[in-house]
Amino acid sequence: MIYNKITLIFFSVLYSVISSAQNGWTYFSQSNSPLPENSVRSIAFANDSAVWIGTDYGLAKLKDTIWTIYHTFNTNGGLPDDAIRCITIDSNNIKWIGTLSGGLTQFDDSTWTTLNTLNSPLPDDYVRDIKFDQTGNTWIATTNGLVKIDTAQTWTNYNTLNSSFASDNIARIFIDPDNNDKITGTVNGGLNIINDSTITTYTIANSAIPDNSILDIDKDVNGNYWMASPANGLIAKVAGGGWFNLNASAGYPSSGLTSLKITDNGDIWTGTVDSGIVRKSGLQYSVWNSLNSPLTDNYIQCIAFAPDGKLWIGTQSAGVYVMDVSLITVNYEISSSTFITYPNPVTDHLFVFGDFKNDLQLQLVDVEGRCQKVQVEKLSIENYLIDLKNISAGIYLLNTSESSGKYFSKKIIKIN
């Protein structure tokens, strides 16, 4: 491996922190802070309490109340490109920074070490993600394949030519903490699961995954992989087998997701392209956007939870917002769901999931109020299956009622 070691030459841009706070919210933008650009792509937290922020025009470090701004011009080329796409910090507090067109650079707070297509086997200079697995290997996502650098500094490239990958454009890497599997989301190539000996690729062509583009991945305590899809909302690969999908048609607040994080209590937080921040807590959806919160941009490019539990939010055009979840006492419920139907639109079989405490009665009614004959199978007290094969295409209302007297309804679209 060839390293391009550059002695650090830069001038620090030091400022006192300026922010605006409102009801548990703080924000930083070009208008009120030294943030170099309002389009924020990545946020990472170092073990020295510093926050690192990657933007479309420069890298920012915020520690305590002091900002330091890094550009290509004030690092003497140490930062190879001002368009930052990812930041990952290793156990030695070294910052690994992926860029749009300059490859990646490692920064130990004094020296920059750059890897690109000219001085290494890196297959592309567009680096979208960097992760470290449990055995010390480094994994790098590029737009021209996935790279593994093992502890002996041996490089292995995975792509459509030498593996089952369906796309070389790798968007995200998730290291499974339970088994060290590498889960990679792609653009237009579905999901890859890599273990020590095999690669399994899931696409629309060979599985029930509802979208071939996956931009973020996390895992819940039940072993389910949850994924952010840019066109089909929230996707789950269920641990026991099968797939689950929540999008706008199924009542989820947005179908365009960019980022995803699962907290210890099981809540699923997603950033969207059009609806701000969405939290899924059980069957309840809470939304924070420009209509009901200090957020002024509903296009969220990244989210990250800090060690203190605050949610940092990178937007497309309004900088960084910090949400102190512990201080948010108002639950902004723009879209909530008492039960979930899937799929919707539906062709043959409709699944109904809910936090039901008693047996459920279900009734399907057409637009003229006529009750339709359907076969209902109770899978459990919380899960029901409705056979709609003999129902004509159209719009219906599914009415549900529990023996306790609770009554709910939801629009169902039946297609052929």
Side-chain angles (χ1 to χ4, degrees):
M1 181 189 309
I2 300 173
Y3 288 99
N4 180 20
K5 292 196 173 180
I6 304 171
T7 301
L8 178 66
I9 302 174
F10 76 105
F11 59 87
S12 296
V13 185
L14 304 178
Y15 301 86
S16 294
V17 65
I18 305 171
S19 65
S20 178
Q22 178 182 344
N23 298 328
W25 292 78
T26 306
Y27 76 90
F28 306 102
S29 70
Q30 288 181 287
S31 65
N32 71 355
S33 78
L35 191 72
E37 166 62 40
N38 283 337
S39 178
V40 175
R41 300 279 186 166
S42 184
I43 302 168
F45 307 96
N47 57 23
D48 61 356
S49 78
V51 182
W52 291 79
I53 303 168
T55 78
D56 277 346
Y57 185 63
L59 177 67
K61 170 187 174 183
L62 174 59
K63 184 176 181 181
D64 300 324
T65 60
I66 303 298
W67 290 82
T68 308
I69 308 301
Y70 304 89
H71 286 288
T72 55
F73 62 81
N74 70 2
T75 60
N76 195 29
L79 182 64
D81 182 14
D82 284 324
I84 311 300
R85 288 298 177 265
C86 63
I87 307 168
T88 302
I89 302 175
D90 67 21
S91 58
N92 295 317
N93 207 33
I94 296 174
K95 276 61 69 175
W96 294 62
I97 302 154
T99 70
L100 176 65
S101 60
L104 68 90
T105 188
Q106 304 165 46
F107 183 47
D108 64 2
D109 296 320
S110 63
T111 302
W112 303 85
T113 303
T114 296
L115 298 173
N116 55 39
T117 53
L118 297 178
N119 67 9
S120 76
L122 194 70
D124 195 275
D125 284 329
Y126 187 169
V127 175
R128 302 187 63 152
D129 198 12
I130 305 163
K131 291 292 191 301
F132 312 105
D133 69 20
Q134 296 164 13
T135 56
N137 301 314
T138 301
W139 295 82
I140 304 167
T142 80
T143 54
N144 195 26
L146 178 71
V147 176
K148 172 188 174 183
I149 308 176
D150 67 19
T151 54
Q153 298 301 300
T154 300
W155 291 61
T156 304
N157 291 356
Y158 300 86
N159 53 46
T160 53
L161 298 177
N162 62 16
S163 74
S164 63
F165 281 15
S167 170
D168 288 330
N169 192 345
I170 312 300
R172 184 68 69 200
I173 306 166
F174 174 74
I175 308 297
D176 192 319
D178 297 319
N179 54 30
N180 203 36
D181 281 355
K182 276 59 67 175
I183 321 299
T184 64
T186 72
V187 176
N188 296 325
L191 188 76
N192 302 306
I193 299 182
I194 306 167
N195 62 28
D196 292 335
S197 58
T198 61
I199 300 175
T200 306
T201 299
Y202 298 93
T203 67
I204 291 174
N206 67 9
S207 74
I209 190 172
D211 194 350
N212 275 337
S213 292
I214 303 297
L215 301 185
D216 209 351
I217 307 163
D218 207 345
K219 185 180 183 182
D220 66 22
V221 294
N222 297 314
N224 306 309
Y225 293 123
W226 291 86
M227 291 156 269
S229 155
N232 219 332
L234 188 61
I235 301 170
K237 185 180 186 302
V238 182
W243 299 82
F244 184 69
N245 184 210
L246 291 172
N247 54 30
S249 297
Y252 200 71
S254 175
S255 290
L257 307 188
T258 61
S259 44
L260 179 152
K261 294 292 180 290
I262 301 178
T263 52
D264 291 341
N265 66 354
D267 287 351
I268 300 174
W269 294 76
T270 53
T272 75
V273 300
D274 52 10
S275 301
I277 295 293
V278 178
R279 179 185 66 189
K280 179 183 179 298
S281 184
L283 295 176
Q284 180 67 55
Y285 307 145
S286 301
V287 181
W288 291 268
N289 59 28
S290 59
L291 297 176
N292 60 21
S293 77
L295 278 172
T296 59
D297 184 2
N298 289 329
Y299 196 123
I300 309 303
Q301 296 190 138
C302 62
I303 60 174
F305 277 96
D308 63 3
K310 294 178 182 177
L311 179 65
W312 288 64
I313 303 163
T315 69
Q316 185 185 54
S317 62
V320 178
Y321 284 78
V322 185
M323 179 182 179
D324 190 338
V325 179
S326 67
L327 296 180
I328 303 298
T329 56
V330 177
N331 192 17
Y332 301 115
E333 297 177 1
I334 287 186
S335 176
S336 62
S337 179
T338 311
F339 65 95
I340 295 170
T341 56
Y342 178 78
N344 192 9
V346 58
T347 53
D348 295 330
H349 295 95
L350 183 73
F351 290 89
V352 180
F353 305 86
D355 187 19
F356 308 123
K357 307 302 181 186
N358 301 279
D359 286 343
L360 198 65
Q361 298 296 318
L362 298 107
Q363 181 187 62
L364 191 71
V365 179
D366 66 17
V367 292
E368 296 182 0
R370 295 172 300 196
C371 184
Q372 305 295 305
K373 272 190 176 181
V374 293
Q375 182 177 345
V376 178
E377 179 182 357
K378 178 182 174 182
L379 304 178
S380 72
I381 196 170
E382 296 180 341
N383 300 322
Y384 292 79
L385 174 64
I386 305 176
D387 189 340
L388 299 179
K389 288 197 299 292
N390 298 323
I391 300 297
S392 301
I395 298 176
Y396 297 86
L397 194 65
L398 178 65
N399 298 323
T400 67
S401 60
E402 291 189 67
S403 56
S404 63
K406 289 185 179 180
Y407 178 85
F408 316 106
S409 64
K410 181 168 291 189
K411 183 175 73 173
I412 302 298
I413 301 174
K414 172 67 166 65
I415 58 178
N416 291 326

